[in-house]
């Protein structure tokens, strides 16, 4: 508007300016100055408006980021709680079934117990798949690095799963002749997970014929390129079905899901794990003629032909020739108390119970200096005082100097990323997840009690 007014004034005074040139010059100069001021004002107003919108956008982005962080944190906490709440009763179910299996049972009862255990382990596998998928989505999966024998791993897996193939009349062959570097550095448990998943699928979806596994390695100066192929003569899938096979919660089609079961997460998890280990997973399949899964992984070289191994632990027989051990089990769940106590008793050990950290501290303080506790098995989530606070109190000397260095093993249903680190940071020495694996449990027990034997029963 201001520019328009100046423009009008300028041209209305033009006839005067024609007869007086000086007026013309002043008019032009005045008009240009006003125009310049006007344009600068518009520019400043536009810049201020832009800055205001930019500030609003930044504030909105910060609010959205905060909401996303809170949502991610809530999801992580939910998963951690779900992991704990689900694993705790499953530990009770599987543990009690394992203990019951060792009692005097008829052949029919043994068969039913075996079927119940198999169903329980299947349920645990499904839960682990869901938790793994959630951890992958949240970026919570980490890849460990430790030396292991890749050839021995393959042979162990095939031996373990041979029974599944035998029940269907399938032959399983393995060719490891092209593995020229046996020892590699990588995440053995995740590699095992991939192979078990793919081999399990091959057996599940093959009604007759065979499953063949072949593996090879190629080396450069620092890394080992591992390639494994699992081929079956099963139902196969079409190219259209194959496109959605690596999508979450998908199988080839609804009828496959109904007939064979499964969550449809296994291949998604395997593919993501391959990517995290510097590799990839691919599929070639023909409907009615079988499938071939190929995956490649990148490992670091293991410079030792056979890295130093921890001394093999064997189940000790009770003996009075060596000092006996005293174990404190800190666990609030009554069923899990019975499971752990039963496993210990089966191997000649006895334990004393504490329902929470506060009671455990009292028992530790009251223990005789001549007969202190030699090992503490510590649950993490308990009422009144949890395992973390109890461990910190023990390490701070609140249970007496005699127990400040007593080995503490976390025995918890918390199995998410960071849970092990949290236990170690609190002062615990080692970590076991529920459901308890009896063999791993006893081996860890003897690892921390190398010079002690169970008390005579």
């Amino acid at each position: 508007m201001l520019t328009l007014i100046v423009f009008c004034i300028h041209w209305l005074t033009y006839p005067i300016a024609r007869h007086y040139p000086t007026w013309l010059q002043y008019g032009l100069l005045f008009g240009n100055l006003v125009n310049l001021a006007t344009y600068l004002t518009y520019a400043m107003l536009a810049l201020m408006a832009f800055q205001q919108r930019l500030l609003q956008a930044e504030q909105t982005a910060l609010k959205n980021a905060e909401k996303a962080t809170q949502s991610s944190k809530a999801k992580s906490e939910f998963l951690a709680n779900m992991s704990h709440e689900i694993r705790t009763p499953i530990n009770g179910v599987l543990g009690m079934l394992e203990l019951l299996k060792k009692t005097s049972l008829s052949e029919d009862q043994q068969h039913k117990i075996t079927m119940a255990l198999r169903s329980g382990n299947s349920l645990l596998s499904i839960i682990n798949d869901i938790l793994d998928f959630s951890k992958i989505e949240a970026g919570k999966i980490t890849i460990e690095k430790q030396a292991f024998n890749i050839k021995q791993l393959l042979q162990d897996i095939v031996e373990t799963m041979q029974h599944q193939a035998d029940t269907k009349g399938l032959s399983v062959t393995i060719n490891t002749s092209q593995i020229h570097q046996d020892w590699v550095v990588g995440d053995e448990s995740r590699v095992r997970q991939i192979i078990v998943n793919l081999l399990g699928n091959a057996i599940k979806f093959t009604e007759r014929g065979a499953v063949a596994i072949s593996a090879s390695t190629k080396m450069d100066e620092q890394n080992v390129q591992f390639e494994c192929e699992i081929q079956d003569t099963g139902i196969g899938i079409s190219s259209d079905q194959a496109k959605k096979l690596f999508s979450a919660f998908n199988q080839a089609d609804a009828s496959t899901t109904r007939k064979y079961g499964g969550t449809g997460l296994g291949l998604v998890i395997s593919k993501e794990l391959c990517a995290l280990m510097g590799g990839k997973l691919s599929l070639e399949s023909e409907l009615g003629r079988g499938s071939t899964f190929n995956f490649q992984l990148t490992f670091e070289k293991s410079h030792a032909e056979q890295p130093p191994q921890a001394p093999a632990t064997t189940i000790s027989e009770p003996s009075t020739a060596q000092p006996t051990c005293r174990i404190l089990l800190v666990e609030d769940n009554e069923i899990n108390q019975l499971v752990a106590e039963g496993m210990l008793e089966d191997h000649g050990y006895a334990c004393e119970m504490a329902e929470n950290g506060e009671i455990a501290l009292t028992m530790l303080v009251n223990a005789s200096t001549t007969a202190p506790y030699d090992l503490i098995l510590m649950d993490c989530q308990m009422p009144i005082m949890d395992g973390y606070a109890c461990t910190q109190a023990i390490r701070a000397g609140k249970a007496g100097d005699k127990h400040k260095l007593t080995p503490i093993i976390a025995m918890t249903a918390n199995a998410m990323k960071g849970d092990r680190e949290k236990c170690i940071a609190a002062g615990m020495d080692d970590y076991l997840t529920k459901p308890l694996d009896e063999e791993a449990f006893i081996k860890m027990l003897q690892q921390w009690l190398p010079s002690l034997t169970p008390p005579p029963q």
Side-chain angles (χ1 to χ4, degrees):
M1 179 62 70
L2 182 60
T3 305
L4 180 60
I5 294 172
V6 172
F7 180 83
C8 293
I9 293 173
H10 175 70
W11 286 106
L12 287 172
T13 59
Y14 179 73
I16 301 173
R18 284 187 59 191
H19 296 91
Y20 302 94
T22 303
W23 277 81
L24 178 61
Q25 294 174 5
Y26 287 152
L28 290 173
L29 177 61
F30 177 73
N32 288 334
L33 288 174
V34 172
N35 285 340
L36 178 60
T38 303
Y39 294 146
L40 287 175
T41 301
Y42 286 161
M44 288 294 293
L45 291 173
L47 181 60
M48 290 173 62
F50 175 74
Q51 288 177 333
Q52 184 66 24
R53 291 183 181 180
L54 186 63
L55 181 61
Q56 291 174 350
E58 185 178 357
Q59 291 174 343
T60 302
L62 288 173
K63 288 180 181 178
N64 290 337
E66 186 178 354
K67 287 181 181 179
T69 302
Q70 291 174 348
S71 175
S72 177
K73 183 180 179 181
K75 182 177 181 180
S76 297
E77 291 175 352
F78 173 76
L79 288 173
N81 289 333
M82 286 300 295
S83 174
H84 180 273
E85 294 305 318
I86 293 173
R87 286 174 181 273
T88 297
I90 288 182
N91 180 64
V93 171
L94 295 180
M96 283 298 182
L97 287 172
E98 287 285 1
L99 294 175
L100 183 60
K101 191 176 181 182
K102 295 177 183 179
T103 61
S104 298
L105 300 171
S106 66
E107 184 176 341
D108 180 60
Q109 289 171 329
Q110 281 282 357
H111 175 71
K112 288 176 180 176
I113 291 292
T114 301
M115 292 299 101
L117 276 170
R118 189 175 299 173
S119 297
N121 284 316
S122 296
L123 175 60
L124 181 61
S125 177
I126 292 170
I127 292 168
N128 286 337
D129 277 352
I130 294 172
L131 290 174
D132 275 344
F133 177 71
S134 300
K135 286 189 281 186
I136 287 172
E137 274 197 323
K140 300 289 185 180
I141 288 280
T142 55
I143 300 301
E144 305 292 336
K145 289 187 177 182
Q146 60 181 9
F148 68 98
N149 189 317
I150 187 66
K151 184 182 290 186
Q152 186 63 50
L153 176 64
L154 280 164
Q155 292 170 346
D156 289 346
I157 292 172
V158 171
E159 182 178 348
T160 302
M161 302 186 72
Q162 184 67 55
H163 176 72
Q164 295 181 30
D166 290 344
T167 58
K168 301 181 73 173
L170 304 175
S171 67
V172 178
T173 59
I174 179 171
N175 180 3
T176 58
S177 61
Q178 296 305 307
I179 295 181
H180 303 299
Q181 175 74 24
D182 292 6
W183 286 92
V184 296
V185 176
D187 194 326
E188 180 179 8
S189 65
R190 293 301 182 184
V191 177
R192 178 187 297 273
Q193 184 177 354
I194 294 169
I195 298 171
V196 167
N197 193 344
L198 297 179
L199 180 57
N201 279 348
I203 294 172
K204 179 166 72 170
F205 294 112
T206 302
E207 298 299 334
R208 62 179 66 86
V211 176
I213 306 169
S214 60
S216 63
T217 56
K218 293 180 182 178
M219 292 167 286
D220 54 32
E221 293 183 359
Q222 294 183 333
N223 296 323
V224 178
Q225 301 297 326
F226 173 74
E227 183 173 359
C228 182
E229 189 173 273
I230 299 177
Q231 184 176 18
D232 64 62
T233 58
I235 61 175
I237 57 175
S238 66
S239 57
D240 290 337
Q241 293 171 335
K243 292 177 182 177
K244 62 180 182 180
L245 198 59
F246 292 102
S247 299
F249 306 105
N250 273 318
Q251 288 189 336
D253 57 35
S255 61
T256 303
T257 305
R258 286 194 297 270
K259 182 176 180 180
Y260 295 99
T263 61
L265 288 175
L267 290 177
V268 180
I269 294 170
S270 296
K271 184 178 181 179
E272 292 296 333
L273 290 177
C274 287
L276 288 171
M277 289 186 277
K280 61 181 181 179
L281 172 62
S282 58
L283 164 68
E284 291 183 6
S285 185
E286 185 178 348
L287 188 62
R289 298 182 66 88
S291 303
T292 300
F293 283 90
N294 179 288
F295 70 94
Q296 295 140 30
L297 303 173
T298 300
F299 299 124
E300 295 177 11
K301 277 185 178 180
S302 176
H303 297 292
E305 180 61 26
Q306 183 168 350
Q309 299 293 302
T313 56
T314 56
I315 304 302
S316 305
E317 292 296 329
S319 170
T320 56
Q322 296 179 346
T324 59
C325 59
R326 193 175 180 193
I327 299 172
L328 177 62
L329 172 62
V330 190
E331 167 68 65
D332 65 313
N333 185 283
E334 184 179 357
I335 296 175
N336 288 334
Q337 287 178 359
L338 295 173
V339 169
E341 185 180 32
M343 289 183 179
L344 290 169
E345 288 178 350
D346 282 347
H347 296 280
Y349 293 94
C351 68
E352 298 172 50
M353 304 283 190
E355 295 178 2
N356 57 61
E358 190 175 272
I359 295 174
L361 284 178
T362 301
M363 294 175 67
L364 291 166
V365 169
N366 294 335
S368 168
T369 54
T370 58
Y373 289 97
D374 301 294
L375 182 73
I376 302 170
L377 300 173
M378 184 74 72
D379 188 21
C380 291
Q381 291 190 14
M382 294 178 290
I384 304 176
M385 178 182 282
D386 63 29
Y388 305 112
C390 183
T391 299
Q392 290 168 347
I394 294 169
R395 296 304 183 220
K398 294 182 180 179
D401 291 340
K402 60 184 177 291
H403 289 121
K404 285 180 72 173
L405 299 178
T406 300
I408 301 176
I409 299 175
M411 204 169 66
T412 175
N414 296 335
M416 299 294 287
K417 176 188 175 183
D419 287 329
R420 180 186 179 86
E421 291 76 9
K422 186 177 179 180
C423 292
I424 300 302
M428 300 182 197
D429 298 285
D430 221 325
Y431 173 87
L432 278 171
T433 59
K434 299 171 185 174
L436 290 177
D437 178 89
E438 185 172 357
E439 182 179 355
F441 177 40
I442 298 302
K443 281 186 177 181
M444 184 170 291
L445 197 72
Q446 294 182 342
Q447 176 187 338
W448 288 101
L449 297 171
S451 61
L452 302 175
T453 59
Q457 301 296 302

